[in-house]
């Protein structure tokens, strides 16, 4: 019987280095591009991102590299996991970001990257290696073996090599064939519990793969296959580290740890930070940009600079009236609004309403999108 580790996943031997950072929430997730040469029927990438050359650092849309630095600093990141799409679709940009991350945060900043085998060549691998990549993870196609042999190319470089795949219950035979091929070519095998995605590419339902419980996205039979494969590696005496990564680890532990880190590092002096890293703060909104129906859509569509220009004199006025220091009030340019302490917003709500600002107490994520958990208007 294989026992779960403290992160609710399962491993033989030690965890791959990239995973050791990941489970602690210490890695920034760099979604480098939505472009990909494949169209997997289990693809987890959202419709908004898939096929588009967009870049995100965690939840923050990246316009230039300074956004990546900002986000990494916000969570005091110790490394990065580069994903997509396929990062090899925009190889030059991927390499540029790896080099810049190493330059900014030092050699020890651990970087791993996921790629399908489609675009792998000696040349593309060399470019990644020369840029400073520490660990590479390959994603196999179980419907087409054309590129499988390319896995041998990776051992020409001194980095950690692994394979990372979702556990497709219908592909036991093919997955075992793959293990037979890779066992002496890579150091580790990461098996991910398969999860259903709400996007157009995902065809799991149509192929008869159902979720294991009503309120879960995890697919029935996926973990079962994972245990079988761990046993298979053991019986064959393959010298391979295996990590069976559960949906609970990815969605619970890893994300929760990352949010906690962001909460601790991005909180303003006046914020209350709870045990999960969520922030509770006082907020003053303009009428047109109050959270409510279609709030996210509005934020994406409006010209924010127009509202910031409106808020600036109000910010100056409040700061002067209540003799606030610079760290006691904040003009939020992402979600145009003024942030202050919960206490002040409660005590002076009549004043704020009098200058056409809508006072509220908000609890929200510390992530770049500052997703609201609760908004209590004090009207
Ligand atoms: S799962 Fe990965 S390789 Fe497959 S289509 Fe999605 S991004 Fe591309």
């Amino acid at each position: 019987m294989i026992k779960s580790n403290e992160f609710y996943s399962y491993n033989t031997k030690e965890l791959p280095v990239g995973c050791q950072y990941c489970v602690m929430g210490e890695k920034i997730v760099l979604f480098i591009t939505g472009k990909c040469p494949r169209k997997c029927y289990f693809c987890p990438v959202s419709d908004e991102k898939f096929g588009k050359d967009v870049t995100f650092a965690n939840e923050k849309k990246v316009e230039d590299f300074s956004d990546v630095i900002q986000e990494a600093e916000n969570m005091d990141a110790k490394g990065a996991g580069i994903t997509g799409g396929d990062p090899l679709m925009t190889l030059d940009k991927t390499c540029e970001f790896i080099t810049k991350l190493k330059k900014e945060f030092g050699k020890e900043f651990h970087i791993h990257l996921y790629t399908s085998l489609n675009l792998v060549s000696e040349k593309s691998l060399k470019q990644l290696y020369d840029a400073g990549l520490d660990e590479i993870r390959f994603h196999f196609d179980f419907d087409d073996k054309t590129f499988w042999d390319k896995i041998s190319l990776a051992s020409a470089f001194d980095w950690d090599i692994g394979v990372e795949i979702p556990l497709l219950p219908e592909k036991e035979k093919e997955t075992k064939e793959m293990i037979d091929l890779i066992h002496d070519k890579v150091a580790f095998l990461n098996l991910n519990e398969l999860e259903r995605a709400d996007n157009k590419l995902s065809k799991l339902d149509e192929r008869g793969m159902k979720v294991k419980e009503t309120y879960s996205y995890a697919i029935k039979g996926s973990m079962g296959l994972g245990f079988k494969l761990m046993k298979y590696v053991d019986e064959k005496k393959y010298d391979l580290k295996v990590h069976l990564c559960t949906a609970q680890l990815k969605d619970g532990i890893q994300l929760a740890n990352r949010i906690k880190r962001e909460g601790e590092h991005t909180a303003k002096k006046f914020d209350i930070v709870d045990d999960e890293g969520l922030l509770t703060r006082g907020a003053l909104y303009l009428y047109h940009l109050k959270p409510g129906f279609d709030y996210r859509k509005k934020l994406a569509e409006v010209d924010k600079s127009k509202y910031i220009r409106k808020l600036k004199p109000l910010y100056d006025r409040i700061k002067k009236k209540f003799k606030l220091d610079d760290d006691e009030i904040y003009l939020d340019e992402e979600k145009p609004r003024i942030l202050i302490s919960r206490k002040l917003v409660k005590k002076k709500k009549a004043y704020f309403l009098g200058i056409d600002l809508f006072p509220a107490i908000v609890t929200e994520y510390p992530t770049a999108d500052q997703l609201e958990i609760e908004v209590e208007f004090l009207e």
Side-chain angles (χ1 to χ4, degrees), residues 106-300:
K107 246 177 80 194
E108 299 309 309
F109 192 82
H110 187 271
I111 306 179
H112 72 270
L113 171 146
Y114 304 87
T115 180
S116 66
L117 285 158
N118 296 45
L119 303 174
V120 164
S121 66
E122 233 176 280
K123 197 168 162 226
S124 57
L125 292 181
K126 183 169 184 327
Q127 207 176 323
L128 288 166
Y129 180 75
D130 289 345
L133 186 66
D134 298 291
E135 183 181 299
I136 187 157
R137 301 176 175 200
F138 297 101
H139 180 186
F140 277 62
D141 186 343
F142 292 122
D143 290 306
D144 181 354
K145 294 182 190 158
T146 313
F147 302 119
W148 280 27
D149 285 336
K150 286 194 192 180
I151 191 74
S152 307
L153 297 174
S155 46
F157 306 95
D158 182 20
W159 50 14
D160 289 328
I161 311 166
V163 164
E164 178 150 339
I165 50 155
L167 285 160
L168 298 158
E170 60 180 21
K171 297 288 182 192
E172 179 175 341
K173 186 174 141 277
E174 292 82 349
T175 313
K176 283 181 175 166
E177 265 178 64
M178 180 208 72
I179 292 174
D180 293 337
L181 172 77
I182 62 153
H183 75 92
D184 55 352
K185 298 177 182 62
V186 310
F188 64 88
L189 170 64
N190 268 17
L191 303 168
N192 293 332
E193 183 174 15
L194 182 62
E195 287 185 89
R196 184 179 176 279
D198 291 323
N199 60 8
K200 286 189 196 132
L201 267 187
S202 182
K203 299 277 180 289
L204 297 181
D205 271 352
E206 290 87 327
R207 295 175 79 112
M209 285 176 259
K210 303 288 177 206
V211 293
K212 59 184 185 189
E213 286 152 2
T214 321
Y215 297 108
S216 163
Y217 280 82
I219 295 293
K220 212 190 264 176
S222 183
M223 283 299 285
L225 174 59
F227 291 126
K228 265 193 202 170
L229 296 173
M230 284 182 108
K231 212 168 146 218
Y232 182 73
V233 170
D234 184 50
E235 281 167 2
K236 289 265 187 170
K237 301 204 178 346
Y238 288 152
D239 184 20
L240 200 55
K241 289 181 209 166
V242 186
H243 180 206
L244 174 48
C245 188
T246 57
Q248 193 182 358
L249 165 58
K250 277 202 289 301
D251 305 338
I253 311 293
Q254 181 194 326
L255 187 63
N257 280 340
R258 202 241 300 157
I259 286 170
K260 221 165 144 180
R261 289 178 76 81
E262 288 204 60
E264 283 158 9
H265 287 90
T266 58
K268 311 272 176 245
K269 188 180 160 192
F270 47 79
D271 286 333
I272 297 167
V273 189
D274 74 7
D275 290 348
E276 293 170 30
L278 297 179
L279 308 176
T280 297
R281 56 217 346 208
L284 302 167
Y285 294 95
L286 291 165
Y287 178 77
H288 188 68
L289 284 183
K290 276 168 69 180
F293 180 67
D294 265 0
Y295 180 53
R296 294 270 138 194
K297 197 163 166 249
K298 257 192 228 166
L299 278 181

Side-chain angles (χ1 to χ4, degrees), residues 36-40 42-45 50 84-86 116 139 201:
C36 184
R38 285 170 57 182
K39 281 198 167 61
C40 306
F42 46 80
C43 182
V45 179
F50 188 81
D86 190 334
S116 66
H139 180 186
L201 267 187

